[in-house]
Amino acid sequence: MATAEKSHDIADISLAEAGQRRIEWADRQMPVLAQIRERFERERPLEDVTMACCLHVTTETANLIRALLAGGADVALCASNPLSTQDDVAAALVDRHGAQVFAINGEDNDTYYAHIAAAVERRPQITMDDGADVVSVLHGERTDLLEGVIGGTEETTTGVIRLRALEAQGKLGYPIVAVNDAKTKHFFDNRYGTGQSTMDGIIRATNVLIAGLRVVVIGYGWCGKGVAMRAKGLGANVIVCEVDPLRGLEALMDGFEVMRGVDAARVGDVFISVTGNRDAINGRMFAVMKSGAIVCNAGHFDVEVNKDELDEITAETFETRPFVEGHRTHDGREIFLLADGRLVNLAAAEGHPAAVMDMSFANQALVSEHMVKHAAELEKRVYPVPEEIDAEIARLKLASRGVDIDELTEAQKQYLASWDQGT
Ligand SMILES: NC(=O)c1ccc[n+]([C@@H]2O[C@H](COP(=O)([O-])OP(=O)(O)OC[C@H]3O[C@@H](n4cnc5c(N)ncnc54)[C@H](O)[C@@H]3O)[C@@H](O)[C@H]2O)c1
């Protein structure tokens, strides 16, 4: 049977029990999403809405899918990265929750795209992307389905960049909300989530002692700040490379060494790219790296590490540990590439902790509801997350930790709104 005709395509349905237990564990750390799921169960705001979701198939995503299903949606899920799928979670989603899942860990490129095609074949009214892959298919080979789409959401920086490019060319086929740009997303997910899980991925893959190493972080955006902060916390001497002078200055004042990539390459022990850009780690850097250097990427696509240029100087590759590929160079050095240059925090660790994804995915769920409610008013544009959704999620998250904050008094509100008070 062709993939698109199946109701699911996963590795092994017998893994469902193990997957379900892990989904429930994550659920315990996701109180905001749980509250939304309970409300969705009562109100059914997504009744009969077809959704194609292209996300990392992890326990946290499973809890988002549960919320969407509770809201009445008909959900097809495919992977946004071939290495991040957790097969037990895919099994539980199919077996215990009735989702249509098309994702197998380690699937080859053809299967990966066949799975996206299968989700798109469900004629989605709402798309949910992490890297704009569904959007790309709908704006490429399946423009016939664009008309039926009410709207979409985008989870990550790289996807938003692609969407803005489509919008700028007047080619965006339906409204999309940039969930990535919500404050309750990137302040926490990109910074604390990527920060912790990237270091976790490096440590799990290599078991190196980070203390005392020179860790080079390339890109000092939201993710880079988190990675640099956590690497420093583990005792590394952190070097930051940037192309934006403001971000470079910020890194300097945050207490890090800042230098050009090629200079950092000579002294670094571990290299982590988080730029959203190609060739952040490149041939000029590989040429001067010390033997033993460890190279990885936490940006969305593996193009951040120019693997072709690494291959050009490689005499032979050799296996060391899972996710650690050794490259012996023609001049006798050894460079170790983690997770084939793909997201190291998802491939070699478990991605973001659930407590962080709680807020990102609460945004996804509430924005889907918003899209259905406001479908008639929305234009073919990239929209920010409505401020009230952001504020509501932050409020719920604080409440879930038992934290109360102060409210402005009337006098304070007046003071902040005036121009003639204050001296
Ligand atoms: N690993 C994860 O789980 C995860 C989570 C969220 C986002 N991401 C991805 O991480 C990447 C970065 O996201 P962000 O939110 O930090 O983006 P951002 O735009 O805030 O930061 C990117 C930074 O990289 C810098 N940069 C660009 N090209 C560079 C180059 N060649 N050399 C040095 N610096 C360069 C930019 O100036 C910018 O400061 C994106 O691809 C995003 O999709 C990954």
Side-chain angles (χ1 to χ4, degrees):
M1 196 191 290
T3 308
E5 290 161 19
K6 297 183 187 169
S7 67
H8 60 264
D9 191 22
I10 59 173
D12 183 357
I13 195 87
S14 73
L15 300 173
E17 176 57 31
Q20 180 60 20
R21 279 199 298 270
R22 294 202 311 112
I23 291 169
E24 286 168 13
W25 173 254
D27 187 45
R28 291 185 179 92
Q29 324 285 322
M30 304 181 85
V32 177
L33 196 58
Q35 284 184 57
I36 293 169
R37 182 173 72 230
E38 282 156 23
R39 178 171 69 75
F40 274 16
E41 252 161 25
R42 292 193 303 276
E43 298 177 6
R44 307 281 288 177
L46 305 174
E47 195 71 61
D48 295 331
V49 175
T50 49
M51 297 185 69
C53 304
C54 183
L55 303 167
H56 300 289
V57 182
T58 61
T59 51
E60 296 80 19
T61 298
N63 282 311
L64 168 61
I65 302 298
R66 286 173 69 193
L68 303 175
L69 291 167
D74 183 357
V75 181
L77 172 68
C78 58
S80 58
N81 182 302
L83 290 182
S84 61
T85 298
Q86 297 169 359
D87 289 325
D88 57 342
V89 169
L93 275 171
V94 171
D95 191 55
R96 306 294 160 91
H97 301 285
Q100 307 170 56
V101 182
F102 302 91
I104 298 174
N105 184 283
E107 61 198 7
D108 61 22
N109 235 23
D110 288 349
T111 314
Y112 177 73
Y113 285 106
H115 282 162
I116 295 174
V120 168
E121 199 54 49
R122 268 62 195 168
R123 301 181 174 271
Q125 292 163 290
I126 292 195
T127 65
M128 196 174 270
D129 259 313
D130 186 338
D133 277 339
V134 168
V135 165
S136 298
V137 171
L138 285 170
H139 287 75
E141 57 263 40
R142 294 308 303 267
T143 46
D144 57 308
L145 298 179
L146 275 177
E147 211 185 329
V149 185
I150 303 171
T153 65
E154 172 53 53
E155 171 77 10
T156 198
T157 317
T158 289
V160 173
I161 290 169
R162 289 166 135 197
L163 293 173
R164 292 208 199 286
L166 267 176
E167 184 186 29
Q169 291 171 16
K171 290 186 181 155
L172 190 64
Y174 55 90
I176 303 205
V177 173
V179 165
N180 179 71
D181 297 353
K183 295 190 181 72
T184 45
K185 199 276 181 181
H186 66 263
F187 278 14
F188 304 94
D189 168 318
N190 297 31
R191 186 164 36 165
Y192 300 109
T194 312
Q196 177 171 313
S197 60
T198 297
M199 296 316 296
D200 186 20
I202 294 168
I203 292 167
R204 288 198 207 191
T206 63
N207 197 27
V208 293
L209 181 70
I210 301 294
L213 293 185
R214 295 191 108 175
V215 171
V216 181
V217 178
I218 300 128
Y220 199 65
W222 289 103
C223 294
K225 288 188 223 299
V227 174
M229 180 180 15
R230 292 299 172 242
K232 183 177 178 182
L234 286 164
N237 295 305
V238 176
I239 299 170
V240 170
C241 305
E242 251 298 343
V243 290
D244 176 339
L246 274 171
R247 291 260 168 96
L249 182 61
E250 192 182 1
L252 189 71
M253 300 245 170
D254 284 345
F256 300 115
E257 269 191 90
V258 178
M259 58 180 84
R260 293 184 313 155
V262 71
D263 298 325
R266 290 177 211 282
V267 293
D269 299 297
V270 178
F271 296 82
I272 307 163
S273 56
V274 256
T275 64
N277 200 354
R278 57 174 297 172
D279 307 332
I281 302 178
N282 52 50
R284 289 198 316 140
M285 295 168 70
F286 290 129
V288 295
M289 278 181 193
K290 294 190 292 192
S291 188
I294 292 169
V295 172
C296 66
N297 169 46
H300 191 79
F301 287 116
D302 58 356
V303 295
E304 302 220 2
V305 179
N306 190 322
K307 289 187 279 183
D308 291 340
E309 289 180 349
L310 177 57
D311 287 340
E312 277 167 26
I313 60 162
T314 297
E316 58 165 340
T317 59
F318 54 98
E319 277 306 316
T320 54
R321 298 160 52 99
F323 304 115
V324 186
E325 185 183 58
H327 287 248
R328 192 161 291 115
T329 61
H330 293 295
D331 59 7
R333 289 170 299 137
E334 290 180 343
I335 295 174
F336 297 98
L337 177 65
L338 306 191
D340 202 26
R342 293 183 187 277
L343 292 158
V344 69
N345 59 330
L346 277 147
E350 294 176 57
H352 295 344
V356 163
M357 296 315 293
D358 189 24
M359 289 184 284
S360 306
F361 284 168
N363 273 292
Q364 290 282 15
L366 293 182
V367 166
S368 305
E369 178 185 33
H370 171 84
M371 291 234 136
V372 172
K373 268 193 196 148
H374 299 278
E377 303 135 48
L378 296 171
E379 294 163 23
K380 295 173 182 175
R381 282 178 36 206
V382 179
Y383 285 92
V385 171
E387 273 179 28
E388 56 282 10
I389 290 185
D390 232 350
E392 171 69 0
I393 291 170
R395 196 185 61 72
L396 289 172
K397 191 73 174 173
L398 281 174
S400 77
R401 298 282 179 95
V403 176
D404 261 344
I405 59 168
D406 292 311
E407 282 177 33
L408 289 172
T409 63
E410 274 314 310
Q412 286 171 329
K413 280 186 199 164
Q414 271 180 26
Y415 178 84
L416 290 175
S418 68
W419 56 270
D420 55 352
Q421 296 182 35
T423 49

